[in-house]
Amino acid sequence: MRRLPWWLILAAAGTYAFLYVPLIVVVAYSFNNSRLNAEWVGFTLDWYRLLFQDEEMLRAARNSLFIALVSSGVATVLGTMAGLAMHRWRFRWLPLLVVTPVAMPEILLGVSLLVFFIQVLHLTLGMLSVVLAHITFSIGFVAIVVRARLAGMDESVFEAARDLGASPWQTFRLVTLPLILPAVVAGFLMAFTLSIDDFVITFFTAGVGVSTLPLQIYSMIKIAVTPEVNAVSTLLMLLTLVLVLAASRLDKGLMRAGR
Amino acid sequence: MSLLEIRDVTRRFGAFEAVKEVSFGVEGGEFFTLLGPSGCGKTTLLRMIAGFDLPNAGRILLDGRDLADTPAELRPIHTVFQSFALFPHLTVAENVAFPLRMARVPDDELKRRLGEALDMVHLADLADHYPHELSGGQKQRVALARGLINRPRLLLLDEPLGALDLKLREEMQLELIKLQREVGITFIFVTHSQPEALALSHRIAVMRDGRVEQLDEPSRIYGFPVNRFVADFIGNCNLLEAEVRAADEGGLRLAVAGLGEVRAPPDGVSKQGDKGLLALRPEQVGVAGEADPAWGNRFPGTVEDFLYIGDVTTYQVRLDNGFRLQALLPNAAAGRARFFDPGDRVTVGWSGAAGHYVRET
Ligand SMILES: Nc1ncnc2c1ncn2[C@@H]1O[C@H](COP(=O)(O)OP(=O)(O)OP(=O)(O)O)[C@@H](O)[C@H]1O
Ligand SMILES: [Mg+2]
């Protein structure tokens, strides 16, 4: 193997440091036995203990999980349907229609949803509006993953199922769904991750009654970056990491199974 | 009544006509082949029979019943795809049993028939394997067993041997014939390989540009091609421009420019003045050091080239008047590669009963 030039190694190391050092600092301080995010005093789990006694924080966590589960569940169903539709009917505007919310600036989506919910639907902001908003921005992601999976598959398999006596529904249940399942699950995990982490859109559509973990963290750091914030951030990071790893695992698996 | 009847079927893609007013019937128990060059509309026709596609005009009837309103899953017609189209997430047994499950065949009967089907194609040992663990020939057998297990009225095979190497291809050809004879199910087989079509079929429809050019038994397609395309596409053929000078029960007397008069067997339709081609198969043409008295037609020439194939050798002979003819002689004696060398003076000839006159109007 050829040796890489030293400056390339340096550039890479610098980039990775820039990416990961802030995260590592947050994790480290969450275990630091000091109120101040300054020097290292000693190891403690006190901040986590405190976290699990914080009623407000627990409520926010429950909300986040509930919103993520429901919105990514619904988005997975709708997104899978959209992915199948994009694959089957090659109207040029269809992918655009489905995927645009993905590319839209979040702030724009947040504001327009807010206006839509209040002015058009006359909805009181709360759990429902947040769930609806999260579904909106997740569908596109699921649809993209599902369509990518379908694009790599031998079309004649679906025709073979019909040919051998399966109705359209049986074909979907017995052949299509099993074959795209890795992509569907990966899409679900992605939607879940997006929902758990979302701040901007949630901020606009949550109203006063509902708080989620990102909103809660934000409201806490307005006062100060406490070790408690570090602790909850660390947990959130861990969850995200696990979900992303699982999704990418499935995504690679589906590449292989498609051959 | 034919089992399957295609009546004036046309399929257009935009302005392009892929299938043009095709009509033919397929009889029960027949091994019927659609043969033609790439792009002539074979797959398009097959897809309409299977129900994946609909004709723009014309009708397709099975047992006299129009299939237009019957979706693919309700047609008693199964397909073996060129890519095999096995379900990658199901085992061999699950793949083969799929049509029975769809037909809600009870479990004990399903098990029995599955066993029979797997035995039929020698796959019992691989029942629990997944498609990606199989060789090309094994996948082919799974696809065949899956297509046959629920005893369709008609099995469509779209170049099912195309993905196999030559040796396996020949093995599978023999197996296909045997299988079709055993199960008695009607096959419609698509190929662009003419030896394959000749070897397997009861009847062949030769297609070109969306039309059926000739429909007949293999020996008649080979022996009596109806036009230049069929003569040229099926096997090797010497084609000589010829005009009918006289026709009677005894045969045709043809005027071939540069050769003079040539005798050909009677065809019952050609008459004086018709223009066309004399189609001569290489194996009908003899080559000899001196003229054989049995030849009704004989011409002097020079051997230009030869091609040793093993069982036979083909010779290119240039006649003194400039024509080039191909002749094929068997090499019955072992170790013998040729009878003549390039440059040898020879006489080329054929009997007055050989050859076939192709009218061109
Ligand atoms: N869905 C389609 N849209 C447009 N044109 C098509 C479509 N399907 C087939 N064609 C055209 O119709 C013609 C016949 O195609 P078809 O697949 O039937 O040929 P084929 O005889 O099966 O050839 P091959 O031996 O290469 O498989 C081709 O020129 C093809 O480009
Ligand atoms: Mg084809």
Side-chain angles (χ1 to χ4, degrees), chain B residues 44-323:
Chain B
T44 307
L45 193 53
L46 218 57
R47 290 175 58 81
M48 291 189 283
I49 299 172
F52 305 138
D53 197 4
L54 292 173
N56 294 101
R59 311 208 298 155
I60 299 173
L61 301 106
L62 188 75
D63 294 320
R65 220 166 48 79
D66 197 319
L67 287 177
D69 298 322
T70 314
E73 67 265 29
L74 297 180
R75 298 187 185 192
I77 299 174
H78 290 174
T79 306
V80 175
F81 293 82
Q82 176 167 4
S83 61
F84 310 131
L86 301 180
F87 305 125
H89 60 300
L90 300 181
T91 62
V92 167
E94 289 165 339
N95 262 283
V96 175
F98 189 87
L100 298 184
R101 290 221 184 285
M102 292 306 102
R104 302 182 185 285
V105 170
D107 265 355
D108 43 346
E109 190 191 336
L110 183 141
K111 227 173 246 146
R112 182 177 56 75
R113 284 170 67 180
L114 175 62
E116 286 171 10
L118 291 177
D119 282 342
M120 178 178 75
V121 291
H122 322 294
L123 281 171
D125 296 343
L126 298 173
D128 296 327
H129 285 235
Y130 283 89
H132 71 266
E133 301 166 332
L134 304 180
S135 72
Q138 291 165 340
K139 283 183 193 164
Q140 176 63 72
R141 291 196 176 87
V142 177
L144 271 171
R146 191 179 66 170
L148 287 169
I149 193 168
N150 203 21
R151 308 196 55 84
R153 301 299 312 277
L154 200 55
L155 187 71
L156 311 177
L157 305 103
D158 193 353
E159 307 210 25
L161 309 181
L164 308 181
D165 61 51
L166 193 66
K167 188 92 178 62
L168 200 55
R169 227 180 140 112
E170 286 174 358
E171 267 176 52
M172 285 306 297
Q173 286 178 8
L174 291 174
E175 266 190 56
L176 264 182
I177 298 179
K178 206 169 129 252
L179 207 61
Q180 199 261 344
R181 211 174 290 147
E182 277 172 14
V183 297
I185 288 172
T186 310
F187 279 22
I188 298 185
F189 183 87
V190 162
T191 181
H192 55 237
S193 152
Q194 48 93 11
E196 197 164 282
L198 293 174
L200 296 176
S201 325
H202 294 133
R203 284 194 305 155
I204 300 172
V206 182
M207 291 185 68
R208 174 171 64 156
D209 293 342
R211 288 184 206 284
V212 173
E213 298 278 319
Q214 185 170 4
L215 198 167
D216 222 326
E217 291 163 20
S219 61
R220 292 196 57 84
I221 296 260
Y222 186 79
F224 306 104
V226 296
N227 58 30
R228 181 193 290 264
F229 171 77
V230 176
D232 212 27
F233 188 66
I234 312 290
N236 283 321
C237 208
N238 296 297
L239 292 170
L240 308 175
E241 307 275 351
E243 186 181 329
V244 179
R245 200 174 266 168
D248 53 45
E249 325 68 83
L252 301 174
R253 281 192 291 138
L254 306 173
V256 177
L259 278 189
E261 189 168 285
V262 173
R263 301 193 144 270
D267 65 354
V269 286
S270 297
K271 54 191 189 309
Q272 189 181 0
D274 282 353
K275 287 191 166 52
L277 298 163
L278 176 64
L280 267 179
R281 296 294 180 188
E283 67 273 18
Q284 296 174 321
V285 179
V287 185
E290 65 269 9
D292 187 322
W295 293 341
N297 305 293
R298 42 180 179 257
F299 305 96
T302 308
V303 175
E304 265 195 342
D305 215 343
F306 70 93
L307 188 67
Y308 174 64
I309 297 169
D311 49 352
V312 295
T313 300
T314 59
Y315 300 88
Q316 307 277 348
V317 181
R318 185 171 294 276
L319 303 186
D320 289 354
N321 53 38
F323 273 123

Side-chain angles (χ1 to χ4, degrees), chain A residues 235-258:
Chain A
L235 289 179
L236 200 54
M237 217 186 301
L238 194 69
L239 180 63
T240 307
L241 201 68
V242 169
L243 290 172
V244 167
L245 277 179
S248 73
R249 245 275 163 47
L250 280 165
D251 232 9
K252 253 181 263 141
L254 90 143
M255 298 287 178
R256 268 200 310 273

Side-chain angles (χ1 to χ4, degrees), chain B residues 10-73:
Chain B
T10 295
R11 178 72 174 107
R12 279 182 288 270
F13 298 110
F16 175 74
E17 285 193 328
V19 174
K20 299 169 187 164
E21 295 186 8
V22 164
S23 296
F24 60 81
V26 177
E27 307 303 322
E30 198 172 17
F31 196 125
F32 187 94
T33 295
L34 293 171
L35 171 67
S38 188
C40 70
K42 306 179 296 286
T43 299
T44 307
L45 193 53
L46 218 57
R47 290 175 58 81
M48 291 189 283
I49 299 172
F52 305 138
D53 197 4
L54 292 173
N56 294 101
R59 311 208 298 155
I60 299 173
L61 301 106
L62 188 75
D63 294 320
R65 220 166 48 79
D66 197 319
L67 287 177
D69 298 322
T70 314
E73 67 265 29

Side-chain angles (χ1 to χ4, degrees), chain A residues 10 15 19 38 48-49 54 57 72 106 119 121 136-137 141-142 151 183 190 193 204 216 229-230 239 243 256-257:
Chain A
L10 207 68
T15 308
L19 287 175
Y48 288 89
R49 205 167 303 132
D54 183 340
M57 188 63 89
S72 54
E106 270 197 83
Q119 311 271 23
L121 293 187
T136 314
F137 69 71
F141 284 97
V142 180
M190 265 174 75
T193 314
F204 279 97
Q216 186 67 19
V229 170
N230 292 334
L239 180 63
L243 290 172
R256 268 200 310 273

